[in-house]
Amino acid sequence: MRKLPVTKLVTLICLLLTMNGLSQNHVMTVNLKKIAARVEPTMWGIFFEDINFAADGGLYAELVKNRSFEFSKPLMGWKIMKPDTATGVLILNESEINSSNPRFARVSIHHGEPSFGLSNEGFRGMGIKNGMTYHFSALLRLTPGSNLKMRIELADPKGNVLGSANLIPDSGTWEKYQVNFKASSTEMKARLNIWFEGEGSLDLDMISLFPDDTWKNRPGGLRADLVQLLAEMKPGFIRFPGGCIVEGRELETRYQWKKTIGNQESRKLIINRWNTEFNYHLTPDYFQSFGMGFFEYFQLCEDLGAEPLPILSCGLACQYNSAEAVPLEQLDPYIQDAMDLIEFANGSGESGWGKIRAQMGHPAPFNLKMIGIGNEQWGEQYIERYKVFAKVLKTKYPAIKLVSSAGPSPSGKNFDFASKELKNLEAEIVDEHYYSKPDWFFKNASRYDGYDRNSYKIFAGEYAAHGDKSGTAETHNNWECALSEAAFMTGLERNADVVHLCSYAPLFAHIDAWQWSPDLIWFDNLQSYGTPNYYVQKLFATNKGTDVVPILSEYKPVTGQDGLYASATTDQNSHEIILKLVNSNSEDRQVKIVLDGAKRLSKKASALILRNSDLKSFNSFRNPVAIVPIENSIELKGKLLDLSLPPYSFSVIKIKQD
Ligand code: AHR
């Protein structure tokens, strides 16, 4: 009798059982002999934008808000603690001498007047940790004949002192003073008080407080717990600095990278566009200090082993807001900004902009390979501008890949127009955005199966499922949203020949200062946690493999048949077969997986499973681990895996092969 191949045999048995109503078995076959696509090392990355206090008040670990008195209201965030008789504080503006940082505070105490203080509230309070060293610094200048002394204190909301230091300025010209002290207790909503005594006047600027435990212990650096969460994702790239922040509500407030490098005190603060974006979420104290600027973004990419992907203004302000456009014949400075950025990142330490990078402490190039022209732009006005950029940039820097925009939505008139035009222009990578209901994500798991293989590559540059928003912000990142993203991402992975970069958006949100939800990571002044969506991203990124192999059910990709979704890769380095399986049903599903063409396999497979029987469940500060991957191991029967996929689950299964 002729022997049936194992695949066919299992299919036949399952078919017979199902016909008899005995089982709900599914059979999927992984064809290990066929490489369907290579997975780009950049496949799973990060989208960073200073929205929801992601940079100032978040990743950038500065604790003092409005440290240089440059907010529209110069004393916003500051409180004067003075007895009635004290002369107080005057805000002076020296714009002719220092146009980037013109304002400073002059504190004066006249003869016989009592001492008084200035108090900073931080970014919705300051998170202070017991035993941690804090680094206070300020630019100070005494006016002639003055003898003011300072006492620096951290205090809890009741006024209890948590740590303090004294500082005696002695210079009549601007000088940076520093003093360190330890905190004696942990407090989420501390304040910084600066008490003055003596006689005369003292000028203060760039008043700053940093914890010692920044990422890599860099002075004036980034919040370590937040970077750690990013590092654990092993991102292939970081897109920065946005998002709409790139464009500005008007051209004047667009992101200009050159104004974000060099000394901190020379980085000109501007309003953050999210300050006024949503009437129901006004954030009047949201500005961009650029403490985290382009140098720091490149450095972060290097730290995390991620490719930098800067997105630059294309000469169009946000088309949802002012929609101001730079006339085509006046685009030169914008294009020059892009070229200068390439030199800043890649030029030798002798080149004009490369020298500035070297002076900032990074003589080696950052090895920039891609650049985005415009954020979420659309219409004729975008295409016209993109063309001008592409012509110049591709002539001067042919090796730098250009990312262009397909607009804010993944379908419709603007999308179709952009797709057609960009295809004709032989665009290299096109940035598509999707913020939709979970249902859209489930239904679109096959979105890229039919995409043109002879056209541009896809950057799934911003996506997130937006579901039920009736509860508190944390509930917006519910399991249903994350599960639908996992289903959709199996489709991105299956089409890795077309899809080269993907990033969830937005990345961070401060629980007391957010404007947009859902977000990947929530934080307060002391803690942070990954949402279920974060763990979905992390599971894909840390188990991406090197090659896509087909996984089929009844000869078709698994894109929602009976609520199941699947993709498969192999990893040439770790010699693993990696399966990603989503069960979107409220009951479990029995799945037999045939590893066709497998070489010698280990006896056990390892499984990482994200699951929750309640689609409304979510992670929170109270319970940050409600939905986190659980590890398991599964026996293999030769080349056969017998799986029971739990209800509402996303599983990553890894099998070692020789
Ligand atoms: O991710 C939040 C915003 O969504 C981005 O700034 C913008 O590009 C998109 O509209």
Side-chain angles (χ1 to χ4, degrees):
M1 198 175 89
R2 196 169 65 89
K3 265 178 130 184
L4 268 181
V6 67
T7 334
K8 291 208 172 129
L9 192 65
V10 178
T11 317
L12 193 67
I13 295 170
C14 292
L15 202 66
L16 290 171
L17 290 172
T18 313
M19 279 163 58
N20 285 334
L22 295 175
S23 153
Q24 276 282 342
N25 260 332
H26 289 267
V27 180
M28 296 181 196
T29 305
V30 181
N31 183 354
L32 291 160
K33 284 176 272 177
K34 182 173 174 194
I35 293 180
R38 304 270 178 214
V39 183
E40 290 294 315
T42 51
M43 183 73 181
W44 308 110
I46 283 176
F47 162 96
F48 182 89
E49 175 170 18
D50 191 4
I51 181 172
N52 304 318
F53 276 33
D56 285 321
L59 196 55
Y60 183 52
E62 172 65 87
L63 293 168
V64 178
K65 186 170 74 182
N66 193 10
R67 64 185 176 186
S68 57
F69 308 101
E70 303 296 337
F71 282 19
S72 319
K73 291 184 183 163
L75 281 173
M76 187 178 246
W78 293 93
K79 198 170 88 187
I80 302 174
M81 305 179 294
K82 66 169 186 178
D84 290 345
T85 51
T87 307
V89 180
L90 186 65
I91 298 298
L92 293 168
N93 186 317
E94 267 184 345
S95 57
E96 267 135 56
I97 300 174
N98 185 352
S99 60
S100 311
N101 180 15
R103 292 194 195 136
F104 59 92
R106 174 162 294 172
V107 166
S108 302
I109 304 180
H110 293 161
H111 180 70
E113 285 178 343
S115 61
F116 75 102
L118 271 176
S119 175
N120 189 275
E121 67 188 23
F123 296 90
R124 313 298 157 104
M126 294 180 185
I128 300 300
K129 295 179 205 154
N130 188 12
M132 180 62 57
T133 299
Y134 288 86
H135 304 281
F136 173 89
S137 67
L139 291 175
L140 302 174
R141 178 175 68 180
L142 275 174
T143 57
S146 303
N147 64 2
L148 287 192
K149 294 176 188 160
M150 296 160 72
R151 181 165 177 77
I152 293 115
E153 273 178 13
L154 276 170
D156 71 12
K158 290 189 182 138
N160 300 312
V161 176
L162 311 175
S164 67
N166 294 321
L167 209 167
I168 306 180
D170 56 3
S171 171
T173 54
W174 283 114
E175 211 158 286
K176 185 170 177 176
Y177 290 80
Q178 279 172 288
V179 65
N180 306 331
F181 56 97
K182 266 191 196 266
S184 57
S185 145
T186 295
E187 171 59 53
M188 177 131 83
K189 300 274 180 189
R191 305 181 64 95
L192 175 74
N193 297 334
I194 309 172
W195 295 100
F196 303 93
E197 61 176 50
E199 203 176 317
S201 298
L202 175 69
D203 296 337
L204 300 105
D205 204 355
M206 295 299 288
I207 301 171
S208 167
L209 186 74
F210 272 89
D212 193 52
D213 65 341
T214 52
W215 170 252
K216 288 189 180 283
N217 296 108
R218 289 198 184 109
L222 307 182
R223 206 174 122 171
D225 62 325
L226 297 182
V227 183
Q228 187 57 37
L229 280 166
L230 303 185
E232 285 168 16
M233 291 173 78
K234 296 203 188 335
F237 68 92
I238 303 180
R239 170 198 181 129
F240 58 87
C244 291
I245 215 160
V246 168
E247 309 161 40
R249 288 175 69 85
E250 54 292 303
L251 285 165
E252 177 68 22
T253 52
R254 73 189 184 278
Y255 198 102
Q256 298 185 57
W257 73 267
K258 288 176 181 162
K259 298 188 176 176
T260 74
I261 57 168
N263 294 336
Q264 288 288 340
E265 52 270 32
S266 63
R267 302 182 187 185
K268 191 173 167 56
L269 176 140
I270 62 169
I271 192 167
N272 186 306
R273 58 149 296 125
W274 298 104
N275 182 315
T276 48
E277 184 67 18
F278 299 122
N279 280 336
Y280 57 91
H281 259 266
L282 290 173
T283 327
D285 55 344
Y286 204 1
F287 289 78
Q288 296 180 82
S289 72
F290 299 113
M292 178 155 188
F294 259 42
F295 179 86
E296 290 76 19
Y297 284 122
F298 278 114
Q299 197 174 40
L300 179 65
C301 294
E302 185 173 79
D303 289 351
L304 303 191
E307 296 292 344
L309 173 44
I311 309 284
L312 299 183
S313 163
C314 65
L316 276 178
C318 182
Q319 289 164 275
Y320 287 119
N321 301 141
S322 72
E324 283 178 341
V326 178
L328 284 178
E329 61 286 1
Q330 287 168 34
L331 269 180
D332 281 2
Y334 290 73
I335 298 173
Q336 193 60 47
D337 270 357
M339 295 209 286
D340 292 343
L341 180 65
I342 298 170
E343 188 176 285
F344 176 73
N346 294 354
S348 82
E350 306 305 313
S351 63
W353 287 100
K355 196 171 185 173
I356 297 175
R357 181 197 70 235
Q359 282 161 354
M360 288 185 76
H362 203 285
F366 282 120
N367 201 10
L368 176 69
K369 298 185 187 117
M370 336 172 248
I371 209 167
I373 308 303
N375 172 45
E376 200 176 58
Q377 326 288 172
W378 66 83
E380 181 82 41
Q381 62 270 50
Y382 173 61
I383 298 296
E384 296 177 323
R385 281 162 187 76
Y386 170 74
K387 266 192 220 164
V388 188
F389 270 83
K391 192 166 169 220
V392 181
L393 290 175
K394 283 315 266 185
T395 308
K396 177 110 198 267
Y397 293 105
I400 298 283
K401 290 216 167 113
L402 298 187
V403 175
S404 42
S405 162
S409 39
S411 56
K413 213 169 100 228
N414 286 330
F415 177 83
D416 294 342
F417 174 76
S419 309
K420 188 167 141 263
E421 294 290 323
L422 291 169
K423 189 174 172 184
N424 289 341
L425 288 170
E426 296 183 359
E428 293 170 289
I429 306 174
V430 174
D431 179 12
E432 296 189 353
H433 294 180
Y434 2 87
Y435 296 103
S436 264
K437 299 222 173 296
D439 193 44
W440 184 94
F441 283 86
F442 282 122
K443 284 195 183 127
N444 276 273
S446 53
R447 175 179 174 88
Y448 293 107
D449 292 359
Y451 254 55
D452 189 349
R453 265 48 195 173
N454 298 310
S455 185
Y456 50 70
K457 304 299 176 195
I458 295 296
F459 172 23
E462 294 186 28
Y463 62 90
H466 284 223
D468 178 8
K469 295 212 185 160
S470 56
T472 59
E474 288 177 294
T475 69
H476 302 175
N477 283 96
N478 69 30
W479 179 224
E480 182 185 19
C481 292
L483 190 65
S484 71
E485 288 153 12
F488 178 70
M489 288 165 76
T490 60
L492 298 178
E493 184 170 87
R494 186 175 49 258
N495 289 287
D497 56 329
V498 172
V499 183
H500 281 193
L501 308 106
C502 315
S503 45
Y504 181 100
L507 182 62
F508 286 123
H510 189 301
I511 193 67
D512 296 331
W514 59 276
Q515 299 83 41
W516 179 296
S517 74
D519 304 285
L520 204 62
I521 294 168
W522 285 93
F523 64 93
D524 61 21
N525 290 340
L526 287 172
Q527 306 162 75
S528 48
Y529 71 84
T531 58
N533 319 66
Y534 168 85
Y535 289 104
V536 166
Q537 293 292 322
K538 184 176 164 184
L539 282 178
F540 269 90
T542 54
N543 298 287
K544 64 172 176 281
T546 52
D547 302 287
V548 177
V549 289
I551 177 165
L552 304 175
S553 168
E554 295 176 2
Y555 308 103
K556 289 196 198 102
V558 189
T559 58
Q561 301 91 310
D562 191 29
L564 298 178
Y565 303 81
S567 59
T569 58
T570 55
D571 193 311
Q572 284 177 12
N573 306 314
S574 64
H575 304 289
E576 283 170 326
I577 302 165
I578 307 169
L579 311 176
K580 305 197 176 75
L581 297 149
V582 171
N583 177 12
S584 67
N585 298 289
S586 56
E587 308 91 33
D588 56 6
R589 285 290 181 271
Q590 309 309 312
V591 178
K592 288 194 190 305
I593 299 194
V594 183
L595 300 167
D596 195 15
K599 296 183 203 145
R600 277 185 354 153
L601 297 173
S602 56
K603 291 206 168 60
K604 282 190 174 165
S606 70
L608 287 162
I609 304 170
L610 270 178
R611 58 175 296 192
N612 200 295
S613 52
D614 180 4
L615 286 176
K616 299 277 173 246
S617 58
F618 55 95
N619 290 344
S620 63
F621 289 102
R622 281 182 61 187
N623 183 7
V625 293
I627 305 164
V628 291
I630 294 162
E631 245 187 293
N632 215 338
S633 85
I634 306 159
E635 297 280 342
L636 268 138
K637 295 173 189 153
K639 293 183 182 179
L640 199 68
L641 253 181
D642 229 331
L643 297 174
S644 175
L645 298 179
Y648 301 140
S649 64
F650 168 44
S651 307
V652 177
I653 312 237
K654 295 201 279 186
I655 308 128
K656 275 257 178 215
Q657 65 169 349
D658 289 341

